[in-house]
Amino acid sequence: METVSDWTSFGGDLSVYDHESETLGCTMRFAVFEPPQTDEEPVPVLWYLSGLTCNWSNVMEKGGLQRKAAELGVMIIAPDTSPRGEGVADDDAYDLGQGAGFYLTATQDPWAKHYKMDQYIMEELPSVIRSNFAADMRRQSIFGHSMGGHGALVLALRNPGHFRSVSAFSPIVAPSQVPWGEKAFSAYLGDDREAWKEWDACELVRKTQLDTTILIDQGEDDQFLEEQLKPGLFEQACREAGQPLAIRLRPGYGHSYYFISTFMDDHIMHHAKALYG
Ligand SMILES: N[C@@H](CCC(=O)N[C@@H](CS)C(=O)NCC(=O)O)C(=O)O
């Protein structure tokens, strides 16, 4: 693991690292915000998964998470959104390939060789965090934005009990039914739509419910709301399955980090309550 940058922020430490990922077969960059409490004892961990085109920097630079995470003693990890590098399959479009890993294991060429973001987030990166930081890995939660909201919901629903809480800003909740998801899943998983169900929050929640209320914030003026996000589909699936869900529509807000940073404190408080409860 190699340190790329290291800053003091709100009494804590915000640092960026490169490491060789065996799972993904490339060098990966991630950021960690360590709250000041890590000087005394290991603290719980909150994973933040970003959206299309993003890397570690979007949420760390624009999400406004440091003050609340420092106050409440939560470590935040911001991984990248896909495998990266010259030898890694890519596409010219912003919504496929590098920057658009969709937090799944691809089964189709040329993607299958490197695109295994779920394994990276669930197994390899946690072991890097456990070995190098004062992290209490028995207490983990997850949240994310857009494609990363999809990632947070899907990873929590595929691994019930692993995360103490899950939340999302403007998540892609039904990738099998919207253009972003249809494009990515066709490429990564192939044409068999049965295989898509394993990576679709609306499908997963019908089979598995979580023992925690899922929190979602969604801007009503989000340009992607009607075509790509469709939170009503998840609301209906949760209602039918008996999954507790708190979904809050926010008038006037869009899809950007101006929206995310507005409600960031709420989400960190939601997770801290579960992590310290
Ligand atoms: N049209 C946009 C779509 C991508 C987009 O809106 N990405 C969201 C996540 S789905 C984002 O967080 N972008 C980076 C940012 O706002 O910092 C682009 O090409 O960048």
Side-chain angles (χ1 to χ4, degrees):
M1 200 170 82
E2 196 181 311
T3 305
V4 177
S5 322
D6 187 8
W7 302 279
T8 298
S9 178
F10 291 92
D13 188 77
L14 171 50
S15 23
V16 181
Y17 302 92
D18 278 346
H19 77 120
E20 293 309 313
S21 166
E22 261 182 52
T23 307
L24 303 178
C26 61
T27 305
M28 289 297 283
R29 186 164 286 187
F30 65 94
V32 177
F33 178 70
E34 295 166 89
Q37 292 83 347
T38 50
D39 291 345
E40 307 296 325
E41 58 183 6
V43 301
V45 171
L46 176 56
W47 297 85
Y48 180 89
L49 306 184
S50 281
L52 292 166
T53 74
C54 294
N55 59 30
W56 67 270
S57 67
N58 303 73
V59 74
M60 290 299 187
E61 293 175 355
K62 301 193 291 191
L65 55 77
Q66 290 85 357
R67 184 189 299 273
K68 207 41 132 184
E71 181 189 322
L72 299 179
V74 176
M75 183 180 298
I76 301 193
I77 319 288
D80 207 340
T81 52
S82 75
R84 299 274 184 183
E86 276 185 17
V88 174
D90 199 5
D91 190 278
D92 287 342
Y94 77 94
D95 53 1
L96 189 67
Q98 296 187 32
F102 272 82
Y103 306 101
L104 50 71
T105 293
T107 55
Q108 307 297 304
D109 289 334
W111 312 103
K113 186 170 178 205
H114 297 281
Y115 285 71
K116 303 171 190 173
M117 284 302 287
D118 61 307
Q119 296 174 41
Y120 175 68
I121 305 282
M122 293 302 299
E123 292 160 30
E124 187 176 12
L125 196 49
S127 104
V128 171
I129 300 300
R130 184 182 291 110
S131 310
N132 292 284
F133 300 90
D136 176 0
M137 303 304 279
R138 291 166 308 177
R139 290 180 288 164
Q140 298 184 58
S141 290
I142 191 163
F143 69 154
H145 171 231
S146 198
M147 176 185 72
H150 143 79
L153 294 174
V154 161
L155 294 185
L157 288 164
R158 286 172 61 90
N159 299 279
H162 186 89
F163 298 107
R164 292 203 179 182
S165 47
V166 53
S167 76
F169 301 101
S170 22
I172 302 170
V173 295
S176 310
Q177 302 182 55
V178 302
W180 274 340
E182 287 178 316
K183 178 176 179 178
F185 283 14
S186 301
Y188 298 147
L189 303 172
D191 294 332
D192 176 10
R193 285 181 170 250
E194 270 310 296
W196 297 14
K197 292 184 175 173
E198 298 301 315
W199 303 101
D200 184 310
C202 279
E203 296 292 339
L204 290 166
V205 80
R206 295 184 201 282
K207 285 195 295 188
T208 312
Q209 294 81 46
L210 302 178
D211 196 12
T212 172
T213 299
I214 297 173
L215 172 65
I216 292 180
D217 272 300
Q218 172 65 57
E220 279 188 352
D221 287 4
D222 188 323
Q223 61 182 310
F224 300 115
L225 179 58
E226 304 293 339
E227 197 188 2
Q228 306 280 11
L229 305 175
K230 297 182 184 284
L233 293 176
F234 193 59
E235 217 173 353
Q236 187 186 343
C238 286
R239 194 167 47 241
E240 287 169 8
Q243 168 64 52
L245 170 73
I247 178 159
R248 307 185 296 204
L249 296 175
R250 304 294 196 177
Y253 287 92
H255 196 66
S256 75
Y257 274 86
Y258 294 111
F259 159 64
I260 296 170
S261 55
T262 303
F263 301 105
M264 181 57 83
D265 280 5
D266 267 11
H267 282 244
I268 293 178
M269 285 190 285
H270 172 79
H271 292 295
K273 209 167 152 191
L275 291 165
Y276 279 99

